[in-house]
Amino acid sequence: MKIKKIFCMFIILALVFSISGCAGTQKPEDTVSEFLDAAQNFDIEKMKTYINTDDAGDLSKFDSNDESVKDFYDYLKECASKMTYNIKSSDVKDDTATVTVDFKYIDSTPFIQAVIKEVFTQALSSAFSGQEMTDEQTNALFANIIKEQKSKIQDKYVEETIDIKCVKVNGKWLIDSDDSLANVLTANFVSVIKNISSSFNNSGADSSSSSLNN
């Protein structure tokens, strides 16, 4: 009877060491898969655990309890839930790796452009009428426009293949985030904002150049 208990104990220990060994040999594609599963649920806190420390802070900007952006945040969350992915390959070189992933996700460009245009138009109209909007009124306007545009604009999907860079830190594979990955996870929001910012900068530069020439 005692021998049987010892035998059982060795089996349990063997299982424990076997599980521990598997955890220690986690592959970079496992990290990417678990990260993207968390991204589909827009679980920001869990996503941070798979990001290289220097980049994890950048992810916080997508996690906000600010009422002024709640409706837009909910929209991004909805888009994330519709994102799908397929890991194609993984190339490991020492403590770095590149995981190639096929994505299918919503392109929010038409939606974001429509929202920004409508908010700008109504805010400008209010300013010309001499009626300055309060923060509460601005938030309400933003929320109403988001709801209105969501009912008008149909989902448009895009497909893209991205190389996700990973690095091994203290024996654990972590993701080095970049704009390409952030763009997918935010339904092209990063790209839209960059384009808008670039347009404003170019417009300002053109105006300054015109003034100097005059």
Side-chain angles (χ1 to χ4, degrees), residues 38-39 41-45 47-48 59-81 111 142-143 146 150 185-186 189:
N41 295 317
F42 225 56
D43 187 342
I44 303 298
E45 291 305 315
M47 290 166 69
K48 288 179 184 177
L59 210 56
S60 300
K61 58 188 173 185
F62 303 122
D63 185 19
S64 176
N65 293 318
D66 188 343
E67 286 297 321
S68 64
V69 297
K70 182 181 182 301
D71 291 281
F72 188 65
Y73 179 83
D74 288 342
Y75 170 74
L76 290 181
K77 187 175 182 179
E78 183 180 324
C79 289
S81 68
F111 170 80
F142 192 54
I146 287 176
K150 278 180 67 176
L185 301 182
T186 58
F189 175 70

Side-chain angles (χ1 to χ4, degrees), residues 9-213:
M9 183 180 71
F10 273 114
I11 291 177
I12 293 171
L13 285 173
L15 287 172
V16 169
F17 281 117
S18 175
I19 294 171
S20 300
C22 291
T25 57
Q26 184 186 42
K27 300 176 182 179
E29 55 264 42
D30 295 333
T31 291
V32 170
S33 179
E34 290 169 16
F35 171 79
L36 294 177
D37 287 345
Q40 288 174 323
N41 295 317
F42 225 56
D43 187 342
I44 303 298
E45 291 305 315
K46 188 172 182 179
M47 290 166 69
K48 288 179 184 177
T49 64
Y50 298 103
I51 296 288
N52 196 14
T53 307
D54 294 336
D55 301 317
D58 295 337
L59 210 56
S60 300
K61 58 188 173 185
F62 303 122
D63 185 19
S64 176
N65 293 318
D66 188 343
E67 286 297 321
S68 64
V69 297
K70 182 181 182 301
D71 291 281
F72 188 65
Y73 179 83
D74 288 342
Y75 170 74
L76 290 181
K77 187 175 182 179
E78 183 180 324
C79 289
S81 68
K82 298 176 181 178
M83 179 266 291
T84 58
Y85 70 91
N86 176 54
I87 296 178
K88 291 181 64 177
S89 62
S90 177
D91 181 24
V92 181
K93 293 180 180 178
D94 298 324
D95 288 341
T96 62
T98 300
V99 180
T100 302
V101 184
D102 287 335
F103 286 98
K104 184 177 180 180
Y105 63 101
I106 292 177
D107 177 12
S108 66
T109 303
F111 170 80
I112 296 171
Q113 289 177 335
V115 168
I116 291 175
K117 180 181 178 181
E118 191 61 29
V119 169
F120 183 78
T121 300
Q122 293 196 32
L124 196 62
S125 175
S126 176
F128 275 125
S129 67
Q131 297 177 349
E132 187 174 347
M133 299 177 66
T134 65
D135 289 343
E136 289 77 11
Q137 290 173 326
T138 303
N139 292 345
L141 172 66
F142 192 54
N144 289 334
I145 290 174
I146 287 176
K147 290 174 183 176
E148 180 184 349
Q149 295 303 324
K150 278 180 67 176
S151 65
K152 287 182 178 180
I153 299 176
Q154 294 184 335
D155 289 343
K156 174 188 173 184
Y157 285 88
V158 292
E159 296 182 10
E160 187 174 357
T161 301
I162 290 179
D163 289 334
I164 299 177
K165 304 298 181 183
C166 297
V167 59
K168 185 179 282 187
V169 180
N170 296 325
K172 180 181 179 181
W173 285 105
L174 297 175
I175 295 171
D176 272 336
S177 62
D178 59 18
D179 286 349
S180 297
L181 180 56
N183 202 44
V184 170
L185 301 182
T186 58
N188 272 348
F189 175 70
V190 172
S191 179
V192 173
I193 294 304
K194 278 192 170 184
N195 289 335
I196 292 174
S197 177
S198 178
S199 296
F200 274 117
N201 290 336
N202 290 336
S203 177
D206 291 341
S207 297
S208 299
S209 176
S210 177
S211 298
L212 288 172
N213 290 332

